[in-house]
Amino acid sequence: MEQIIANGLYLGAQYALIALGLTLIFSLMNVLNFAHGQMYVLGGFVCYTVVAQLGMPFIVGLVASALVLAVLGGLIERFLFRPVIRRSKRDESTMLLAAGIAFFLDAVILLLFGEKQRGVPKVVNGVFNWDFRIIMPYDRILIGMLAIGLIVAFILFMQYSKAGRAMRALAQDRVAAQLMGVDVDRYSMIGFAMGAMLAGLVGALLVTITGVNLGMGGPTSIKAFLMIMIGGAGVISGAIAGGFILGMMESVGLSVLSSYGDVTYLVIFATLMIFLAIRPQGLMGKPWG
Amino acid sequence: MQNQPHAAPLAAGKGLTMPKMLGVAAFLAFVFAAVPMFIAATGRWDFYYTLTSVALLSIGAAGVWLTFYIGRINIGQGAYALAGGYVSAVLITQAGVSFWLTLPLAGLFCALISVLIGLPILRLRGVYFAMVTLVLTEVARLTALALPVTNGAKGITSIPLPGGVSVFGITLIPDFATLQNPRQAFYFAAIGLMILVYVILWRIVNSRLGHLCRSLQQNEELSASIGVNTAWLRIMAYAISSFFGGVAGAMFVSISQSIYPSSFVVQDSVNFMLYCFLGGLGYVFGPMLGTLLLYFGWDLLSVAGKYQLLIYSGAMITLMLVLPNGVLSLFDRKGGGK
């Protein structure tokens, strides 16, 4: 039982970090970022290149992934999303753009890094063993802690920094924020860059444990969608809650339902459908996002 | 019911005008005569398969388009295509039903499930609905893996080709297995089905139901407050949409003669949505054009080898930057005072 909870927390911390980036982008620009999973994979590959091929320490890889993805996210917002949002009749048109970007990133990853599974060596060795009740390798604990640390840092940033306040104002009411003198364009760009950066960071964290490959992008996006649906789209606390809930459900499901075959996700989906029928806006979301 | 001027290029005037008739005739001549002649001349028999796929995918996209028409983003058409495919496959292989009968049955089955699923989820809006439908595709795949009747991951294979249909000894549809060129036969069947679906869709959009749907797209509360039964309309539109999805799936299965849980995945659902966006959401024939451009374009790009995806996605992004309201919005500007 302790083991299940520990696994759930570990998974949840990473999931929450992915969901945070997605929900940030969604709340600021009303864009459902289909390319989020691909950004995550790209972050993993950048970290792999820096650590495994250039032989730099892991922390450099982490920073490099964050920087590359932040710049990429900023550019994507400035040159792709902004003009399309301005000119299109329905804001759903950005979905086609987001999907196009997802394909594009897939193509870029395929050309630059190939389709092989890549990983980097363990950051720390050894296994934590508490009386055979919780057995967990140290590197997993480290990654889990780093993820939680990043979540806390992100919350603090959103809560107390000027940029964070501006972004929260933007998410609440775009027009009102603009009237109060918030530079909407600038903070949209920063927000998108931060969302992409978070995706890249998770990718860099996970490359040390599970490795990355080209095919991981799409499923990751779907999981991230699930999380923000559970918690409520566009709400930071919701994304964190959704991430931990999904992590926990996955961990419990895999151990409890394993005797019935591969039905964990079927059960999760079915539960989610019923849940959303009762509470369409998720745990903490605003109705109609 | 009069046909109000609508954004669709074919709906420029009232009823069937002369240029419109000519346009339809030209289209029919093109797909039924020019394309087969072209293929016979160039020997590119693989185009038959590509074009058949385009026709079938555009049937599914027509359904997605209809849900867009009531203001819902539907990324779950793959689920219904999969369900329709399985219904057809199971009925043919286990009950020995004729394929042509399973086609409407698959559609009806999907419409029925979509009513059950739609009742709760159609209350959702915006991205919430979009995300739930996206998840629905994954649910369909996992269900197909778990159910015994679908034979799990192994799928259902070696499904016989569609048999013949004859009424009073007159053969209406020949047995596909005896045909010299089943590919061509499938092409004609798929194109015929596609034309039928788009005629139905065009008819719906220009009917009372279509006008009501449009009111839903613009403001649901307002239309509910003036007495439109929005809940019923939403279910209706979603059921028709899923019917199209099921029919498309069933037809696909008969062509590939096999179905697996991975026959229609999330990617396909997303693609259905993209076809609609690319063609333009304000135009009945948008999804058809979008499917043709994206699917056929992808196929043609296979000469580019490993740069295929790069060029394809690059073109998609560029297209979106230049024409954010879909390709058919080009005609909007030219048409001016429609």
Side-chain angles (χ1 to χ4, degrees):
Chain A
M1 193 60 211
E2 290 90 346
Q3 181 70 46
I4 296 171
I5 291 174
N7 283 344
L9 283 177
Y10 156 76
L11 271 176
Q14 293 153 2
Y15 283 176
L17 211 51
I18 300 179
L20 270 182
L22 191 67
T23 215
L24 180 68
I25 292 173
F26 174 73
S27 67
L28 290 182
M29 341 216 347
N30 216 3
V31 166
L32 198 54
N33 186 14
F34 276 100
H36 210 70
Q38 274 74 15
M39 290 176 171
Y40 153 90
V41 172
L42 190 63
F45 272 114
V46 169
C47 184
Y48 158 78
T49 310
V50 171
V51 176
Q53 295 201 320
L54 304 178
M56 306 276 218
F58 175 65
I59 189 75
V60 181
L62 204 59
V63 174
S65 306
L67 283 180
V68 169
L69 264 296
V71 170
L72 187 73
L75 290 178
I76 286 176
E77 198 280 330
R78 174 70 188 78
F79 292 106
L80 297 178
F81 278 108
R82 199 179 295 175
V84 170
I85 289 177
R86 187 170 301 151
R87 291 180 38 212
S88 102
K89 282 184 203 148
R90 301 175 61 160
D91 32 329
E92 296 102 334
S93 302
T94 53
M95 278 192 170
L96 175 62
L97 183 63
I101 293 170
F103 287 145
F104 189 77
L105 287 182
D106 258 342
V108 169
I109 294 168
L110 179 68
L111 288 177
L112 289 180
F113 303 103
E115 51 198 6
K116 281 202 192 99
Q117 168 90 16
R118 300 286 189 192
V120 300
K122 275 179 184 269
V123 185
V124 278
N125 285 314
V127 174
F128 173 78
N129 186 343
W130 178 44
D131 214 13
F132 287 98
R133 282 152 92 183
I134 299 180
I135 302 170
M136 194 170 251
Y138 278 123
D139 59 340
R140 288 199 179 207
I141 297 176
L142 178 75
I143 298 301
M145 289 298 159
L146 274 176
I148 291 173
L150 283 168
I151 293 172
V152 172
F154 177 79
I155 295 174
L156 291 178
F157 178 80
M158 289 303 278
Q159 206 66 34
Y160 296 110
S161 76
K162 193 173 170 227
R165 281 203 201 99
M167 279 190 262
R168 278 189 294 139
L170 215 62
Q172 272 180 15
D173 192 324
R174 209 177 169 86
V175 179
Q178 199 162 18
L179 289 174
M180 293 297 132
V182 175
D183 188 346
V184 171
D185 282 348
R186 176 154 172 253
Y187 285 107
S188 294
M189 191 165 138
I190 293 179
F192 205 101
M194 272 185 67
M197 187 184 81
L198 285 174
L201 277 173
V202 192
L205 286 178
L206 277 188
V207 75
T208 60
I209 293 169
T210 53
V212 282
N213 64 56
L214 186 61
M216 283 166 85
T220 309
S221 294
I222 294 175
K223 274 188 187 172
F225 290 160
L226 275 181
M227 292 176 245
I228 68 171
M229 263 193 287
I230 296 173
V235 186
I236 288 173
S237 52
I240 297 172
F244 277 103
I245 291 173
L246 186 71
M248 213 45 105
M249 290 214 289
E250 207 172 288
S251 164
V252 172
L254 284 178
S255 56
V256 176
L257 298 172
S258 58
S259 50
Y260 302 101
D262 197 13
V263 291
T264 307
Y265 259 86
L266 192 56
V267 172
I268 292 181
F269 287 138
T271 322
L272 185 76
M273 294 292 239
I274 297 167
F275 169 70
L276 282 177
I278 301 163
R279 198 172 162 77
Q281 70 269 40
L283 283 176
M284 300 163 189
K286 302 171 281 188
W288 316 138
Chain B
M1 210 53 227
Q2 282 195 334
N3 288 322
Q4 281 187 3
H6 175 248
L10 278 184
K14 286 176 189 170
L16 283 172
T17 53
M18 204 49 199
K20 222 183 288 176
M21 297 272 269
L22 280 177
V24 172
F27 178 75
L28 288 180
F30 180 75
V31 292
F32 283 119
V35 170
M37 265 150 62
F38 172 78
I39 289 175
T42 54
R44 287 293 298 264
W45 293 97
D46 56 314
F47 276 174
Y48 268 136
Y49 183 73
T50 315
L51 286 174
T52 310
S53 302
V54 168
L56 294 178
L57 288 173
S58 59
I59 293 173
V64 177
W65 187 87
L66 193 63
T67 32
F68 268 117
Y69 208 64
I70 58 164
R72 293 288 192 282
I73 310 162
N74 183 355
I75 331 181
Q77 193 69 319
Y80 294 106
L82 192 68
Y86 266 113
V87 168
S88 170
V90 167
L91 281 180
I92 292 174
T93 53
Q94 293 185 9
V97 183
S98 158
F99 165 74
W100 300 107
L101 192 61
T102 67
L103 208 57
L105 284 179
L108 283 177
F109 178 79
C110 289
L112 196 68
I113 331 175
S114 77
V115 170
L116 293 178
I117 297 175
L119 275 172
I121 71 167
L122 278 165
R123 292 167 58 217
L124 306 175
R125 284 182 209 180
V127 284
Y128 289 100
F129 184 80
M131 287 190 292
V132 170
T133 50
L134 187 71
V135 170
L136 198 61
T137 321
E138 199 58 16
V139 173
R141 187 179 72 86
L142 291 171
T143 313
L145 271 174
L147 283 182
V149 71
T150 56
N151 205 11
K154 282 187 289 259
I156 300 172
T157 49
S158 44
I159 299 161
L161 284 168
V165 174
S166 48
V167 178
F168 305 123
I170 306 159
T171 316
L172 291 179
I173 303 165
D175 192 340
F176 275 42
T178 61
L179 283 182
Q180 212 173 25
N181 192 349
R183 271 186 184 175
Q184 194 176 15
F186 270 124
Y187 169 76
F188 285 131
I191 291 284
L193 206 58
M194 178 182 83
I195 290 170
L196 191 65
V197 162
Y198 275 86
V199 167
I200 294 171
L201 188 68
W202 187 70
R203 194 61 216 121
I204 290 173
V205 165
N206 289 300
S207 70
R208 185 180 150 71
L209 187 67
H211 292 295
L212 291 177
C213 287
R214 210 143 61 233
S215 78
L216 234 64
Q217 182 191 336
Q218 283 164 5
N219 191 333
E220 222 168 296
E221 280 81 17
L222 190 60
S223 65
S225 72
I226 55 172
V228 176
N229 190 347
T230 51
W232 183 81
L233 261 181
R234 290 191 304 238
I235 299 278
M236 191 68 196
Y238 193 55
I240 296 172
S241 151
S242 310
F243 184 89
F244 290 162
V247 167
M251 190 81 197
F252 243 118
V253 167
S254 77
I255 292 173
S256 60
Q257 295 183 273
S258 61
I259 184 162
Y260 305 94
S262 55
S263 292
F264 292 97
V265 290
V266 170
Q267 192 59 59
D268 297 285
S269 285
V270 173
N271 282 342
F272 278 126
M273 177 196 68
L274 296 185
Y275 299 147
C276 294
F277 269 131
L278 194 83
L281 295 177
Y283 317 93
V284 180
F285 297 93
M288 204 199 277
L289 183 72
T291 317
L292 183 71
L293 283 177
L294 278 182
Y295 193 88
F296 206 55
W298 170 252
D299 207 61
L300 287 180
L301 273 177
S302 59
V303 291
K306 66 175 180 173
Y307 296 103
Q308 188 182 16
L309 188 59
L310 194 73
I311 300 173
Y312 175 75
S313 54
M316 218 161 109
I317 294 173
T318 319
L319 212 57
M320 207 57 212
L321 282 174
V322 183
L323 297 167
N325 296 315
V327 174
L328 283 179
S329 61
L330 270 179
F331 296 98
D332 245 10
R333 261 173 254 159
K334 281 184 196 158
K338 233 176 226 175

